[in-house]
Amino acid sequence: MEVTKRADAEASTDTGTESNPRNPVCSLRHFACEQNLLSRPDGSASFLQGDTSVLAGVYGPAEVKVSKEIFNKATLEVILRPKIGLPGVAEKSREQLIRNTCEAVVLGALHPRTSITVVLQVVSDAGSLLACCLNAACMALVDAGVPMRALFCGVSCVLDSDGNLVLDPTTKQEKEARAILTFALDSVEQKLLMSTTKGLYSDAELQQCLAAAQAASHHIFRFYRESLQRRYSKS
């Protein structure tokens, strides 16, 4: 199986950071991230992967409705809004996957009987949308100062009809693929937090996709660090 290579680029700006890792077995589109964009949420971030863009806002820890209160930990909610129209089945499914990932790393026991709400707005979808939503959510949680045991990132990959593996696929590559796989990984040991798949693949291909996603996560977490260092070194 081969991994498709793409052009490399690396740049940074005063308002955000862009990066593109260069690795023969890990090819991702360029990244860009800007935090603290919105005034009302406690934390916010805009994350760009290629032409896919998601804006995230985090509210909390804050007061929670009695009906949703959990006595020993915070109640975590995720709301995903599509670019156009009302949320549908696809958005509800992604909300559940993102919530499961956030609950795996957020230290909710430190804020019992409170609410933490993550609101995600899709700005543009050019492929790997779920992975971009996960990355935007993580950076927004960091901006809000929500305690977490680790950072997390999302990595999507596809398998084409010839068995070639492509990381961070575009919409066209997703439509032509026979299998689409998305993984959420933590920053400590690149452990698997969540996975969702669609299509046909073998056990060996699944393991190869997971290994490629773990290798790609190193570059994403490095981008996180560089983005945060640039931001806080200026403040």
Side-chain angles (χ1 to χ4, degrees):
M1 295 170 64
E2 299 175 352
V3 177
T4 301
K5 297 182 181 179
R6 301 178 189 160
D8 298 312
E10 185 169 336
S12 61
T13 64
D14 291 337
T15 57
T17 308
E18 294 187 6
S19 175
N20 194 57
R22 177 178 295 179
N23 189 302
V25 295
C26 173
S27 183
L28 303 172
R29 294 176 293 177
H30 72 278
F31 300 140
C33 179
E34 186 176 354
Q35 290 178 296
N36 198 27
L37 288 168
L38 307 175
S39 58
R40 289 190 175 183
D42 296 292
S44 59
S46 173
F47 204 91
L48 181 75
Q49 288 182 218
D51 292 326
T52 301
S53 179
V54 176
L55 181 62
V58 173
Y59 300 82
E63 186 178 356
V64 63
K65 293 181 179 179
V66 175
S67 60
K68 296 182 179 181
E69 182 179 282
I70 303 176
F71 78 95
N72 62 346
K73 66 176 184 178
T75 301
L76 201 149
E77 292 184 281
V78 173
I79 301 170
L80 177 59
R81 295 171 178 164
K83 181 179 179 181
I84 300 173
L86 298 173
V89 175
E91 284 74 27
K92 295 300 179 182
S93 175
R94 292 190 181 106
E95 285 177 358
Q96 182 66 34
L97 295 169
I98 297 167
R99 184 167 70 87
N100 291 344
T101 304
C102 293
E103 287 183 336
V105 296
V106 170
L107 299 175
L110 297 179
H111 299 283
R113 295 188 174 93
T114 63
S115 170
I116 298 173
T117 304
V118 181
V119 181
L120 299 158
Q121 173 66 57
V122 177
V123 179
S124 61
D125 180 8
S128 303
L129 178 61
L130 178 57
C132 189
C133 287
L134 288 164
N135 297 334
C138 181
M139 294 303 276
L141 287 166
V142 171
D143 189 52
V146 175
M148 297 187 287
R149 66 172 182 82
L151 301 182
F152 63 89
C153 74
V155 182
S156 292
C157 61
V158 298
L159 294 167
D160 64 19
S161 57
D162 297 324
N164 296 321
L165 187 155
V166 180
L167 285 169
D168 197 17
T170 62
T171 302
K172 180 181 178 182
Q173 290 169 328
E174 289 179 341
K175 289 180 179 178
E176 297 173 350
R178 65 176 168 86
I180 305 172
L181 305 92
T182 300
F183 305 97
L185 304 159
D186 75 4
S187 60
V188 179
E189 297 178 345
Q190 284 69 55
K191 286 185 177 180
L192 183 64
L193 301 174
M194 179 278 298
S195 68
T196 178
T197 63
K198 179 182 179 182
L200 301 174
Y201 53 86
S202 66
D203 291 342
E205 289 173 330
L206 173 62
Q207 293 303 319
Q208 189 156 3
C209 289
L210 177 58
Q214 289 172 325
S217 70
H218 290 286
H219 299 277
I220 299 174
F221 291 131
R222 184 176 65 185
F223 168 75
Y224 283 0
R225 289 193 296 270
E226 292 172 353
S227 178
L228 292 169
Q229 285 171 353
R230 288 190 179 97
R231 180 192 169 190
Y232 289 108
S233 64
K234 292 171 185 176
S235 60

